[in-house]
Amino acid sequence: MQIRQPEIPHIVFLFSDTGGGHRSASEAIIEAIELEFPNQITYEMVDLFRDYAPPPLNKAPEIYPPLSRIPAAWSFGYRQTNSPRRIRNINNVAWPYIRRSIYRLMEEHPCDLIVSVHPLMNTPVLRTLRNRRNPFITVVTDMVSTHAAWYDNRADLIIVPTNIARENGIEFGIDPEKIKVVGLPVADKFCHMKEDSQEIRQRLGWPTDLPVILLIGGGEGMGPLEKTAHAINDAHLNAALVIIAGRNRDLKDRLEKHNWNMPVTIYGFVKNMPDLMQASNVLVTKAGPGTISEACIAGLPIILYSKMPGQEDGNVDYVVNEGAGVWAPEPEMVVQTLQKWLREPELRWQTASACRRIARPQAAREIARILAARVGITHPE
Ligand code: UDP
């Protein structure tokens, strides 16, 4: 967080730690603002749920991981709410209950621009602030199956990662002029890796003579990550395995106690994902939009082992159709793909170049310029 200085424009980012993607996206944009406009803009990130919402909504970051582990419930909730009319109805019911929190938020965080990177923060905030003077921009951090809650015509601009996300918005009734396709904001380090993979491996204490498989289940260690790790271990591959358990501490403890028969490194929530991706040869991941976008920039071929039903369905089709990875919803399918890719590295390289083709490494900086222009700061060029 930065202290607001009255003479400098101030941006408030509305996010929440429901998963890892909303935080990563805000941090990537903030980093790009610092790189493009040093000392010209101040900013802060506010977790609207945790810090302002009344109970039980303030527990959303804690409720999200267990809820997302019940695919049928998640899918049902996603489908049942995915229309502008239903979003309006839900907000009509919730609004009397939450509007005071939103007024308090705006009183305590006056700013020149509000940027929402969370689907559930658009309609309630825009409705509460309908007489606002400061602009409101939404940065959509889902890739393809973008939920109706992302789109509200009262936003001044909606920045989306793909053409499909733009078409969804138009279908949900958004003025096409208001939707701009830029890409999903990703940390600058993914785009400018200076260190060679072998150097990173040495620094991290990983084997330097084996291909490295990186296994990630989003920010919360989601999907059948443990089962998938065991299947990889049991396949006796000539490779090393790096597992990111994210914020899932129980999972990390269990993984650490397991008897592995291959070189395995286990981490909890890491802050150096660009290094880990740069130093790996294959990514096995849940179909999270942030992780997929980062892997594309890192040129890391992708095996998708699970998805959040509804929300991440489109990500799977996108990755597969673009040739950037494969869908392997069973641990045996993950193992079969790994065996093939380790045996025939050219298949891996082809997939890696498809990843690079769809990558949008400039997205964070482009978004930073758009936001800066809205608060009256333009690039010197
Ligand atoms: N991430 C991280 N450290 C971890 C695990 C994940 O920084 O230990 C980041 C990851 O790089 C990505 C985000 O968290 O930027 C996960 O976002 P994604 O959209 O893939 O999935 P979500 O967790 O939001 O479901």
Side-chain angles (χ1 to χ4, degrees):
M1 162 167 167
Q2 287 197 333
I3 305 292
R4 185 165 195 235
Q5 300 170 34
E7 68 284 6
I8 293 183
H10 190 69
I11 304 179
V12 164
F13 289 84
L14 300 179
F15 87 110
S16 187
D17 276 323
T18 49
H22 307 297
R23 175 181 284 278
S24 295
S26 331
E27 288 179 347
I29 301 169
I30 288 172
E31 180 188 33
I33 291 175
E34 283 177 344
L35 290 166
E36 296 275 308
F37 307 97
N39 306 320
Q40 295 174 67
I41 298 171
T42 55
Y43 49 79
E44 62 194 302
M45 285 169 58
V46 178
D47 188 329
L48 181 53
F49 282 138
R50 209 190 291 274
D51 299 339
Y52 284 92
L57 294 175
N58 60 341
K59 295 281 174 232
E62 285 77 33
I63 296 167
Y64 173 82
L67 188 66
S68 62
R69 285 188 197 110
I70 312 169
W74 190 268
S75 170
F76 181 78
Y78 182 92
R79 278 185 285 113
Q80 290 304 312
T81 56
N82 194 16
S83 83
R85 188 174 52 84
R86 288 184 181 167
I87 288 297
R88 261 195 316 274
N89 292 345
I90 293 166
N91 277 289
N92 284 344
V93 174
W95 191 64
Y97 184 57
I98 55 179
R99 75 190 152 153
R100 277 210 191 96
S101 313
I102 297 171
Y103 286 132
R104 187 161 66 84
L105 159 85
M106 292 328 300
E107 261 166 45
E108 293 177 8
H109 300 276
C111 62
D112 303 286
L113 169 65
I114 305 168
V115 178
S116 158
V117 295
H118 200 288
L120 302 183
M121 291 172 192
N122 303 305
T123 298
V125 175
L126 283 163
R127 179 170 178 181
T128 307
L129 306 180
R130 56 186 179 276
N131 298 322
R132 80 203 138 85
R133 282 192 303 276
N134 39 4
F136 183 106
I137 295 181
T138 302
V139 178
V140 175
T141 64
D142 277 323
M143 213 178 224
V144 180
S145 322
T146 43
H147 192 275
W150 280 110
Y151 303 99
D152 191 307
N153 254 323
R154 288 167 290 193
D156 296 278
L157 180 67
I158 302 175
I159 297 174
V160 294
T162 59
N163 285 323
I164 305 169
R166 180 170 189 273
E167 284 157 23
N168 293 344
I170 295 169
E171 218 162 280
F172 285 136
I174 300 295
D175 172 359
E177 298 283 305
K178 278 194 178 173
I179 317 182
K180 193 169 168 55
V181 183
V182 176
L184 202 124
V186 162
D188 196 68
K189 200 166 178 204
F190 284 101
C191 318
H192 302 101
M193 288 304 300
K194 293 198 179 85
E195 222 177 344
D196 163 73
S197 5
Q198 287 299 77
E199 285 168 4
I200 301 175
R201 286 187 189 189
Q202 273 164 4
R203 181 159 56 74
L204 297 172
W206 294 3
T208 50
D209 53 349
L210 288 172
V212 175
I213 301 160
L214 180 62
L215 176 57
I216 310 179
E220 313 287 346
M222 290 189 306
L225 190 143
E226 191 171 9
K227 225 166 96 183
T228 307
H230 289 175
I232 295 171
N233 183 52
D234 293 342
H236 297 279
L237 303 172
N238 193 25
L241 178 63
V242 173
I243 311 173
I244 317 279
R247 296 193 194 92
N248 191 337
R249 292 216 180 94
D250 293 345
L251 172 67
K252 181 168 181 272
D253 289 347
R254 286 199 304 277
L255 291 169
E256 279 171 345
K257 287 188 190 121
H258 192 73
N259 239 340
W260 300 97
N261 54 36
M262 68 194 292
V264 173
T265 312
I266 297 157
Y267 297 101
F269 193 87
V270 299
K271 292 271 186 193
N272 58 343
M273 195 62 87
D275 286 348
L276 305 196
M277 285 200 183
Q278 168 78 6
S280 302
N281 299 93
V282 177
L283 173 66
V284 181
T285 180
K286 172 186 90 79
T291 308
I292 291 172
S293 304
E294 291 160 358
C296 287
I297 294 172
L300 194 56
I302 305 168
I303 300 174
L304 298 171
Y305 76 88
S306 82
K307 62 178 179 180
M308 305 269 288
Q311 188 175 328
E312 293 178 347
D313 289 350
N315 300 356
V316 173
D317 298 340
Y318 183 69
V319 166
V320 172
N321 293 341
E322 295 290 346
V326 297
W327 172 230
E330 295 298 330
E332 309 79 67
M333 294 167 82
V334 171
V335 167
Q336 280 161 15
T337 309
L338 286 170
Q339 284 166 332
K340 197 159 74 181
W341 282 3
L342 292 171
R343 214 173 36 235
E344 299 173 61
E346 59 283 6
L347 291 178
R348 223 165 67 207
W349 300 331
Q350 273 166 20
T351 315
S353 48
C355 282
R356 287 195 195 91
R357 202 180 53 238
I358 59 169
R360 289 182 181 262
Q362 290 306 318
R365 291 199 186 224
E366 207 177 322
I367 293 170
R369 283 185 220 122
I370 293 169
L371 304 188
R374 287 288 165 142
V375 294
I377 308 273
T378 48
H379 215 267
E381 289 152 7

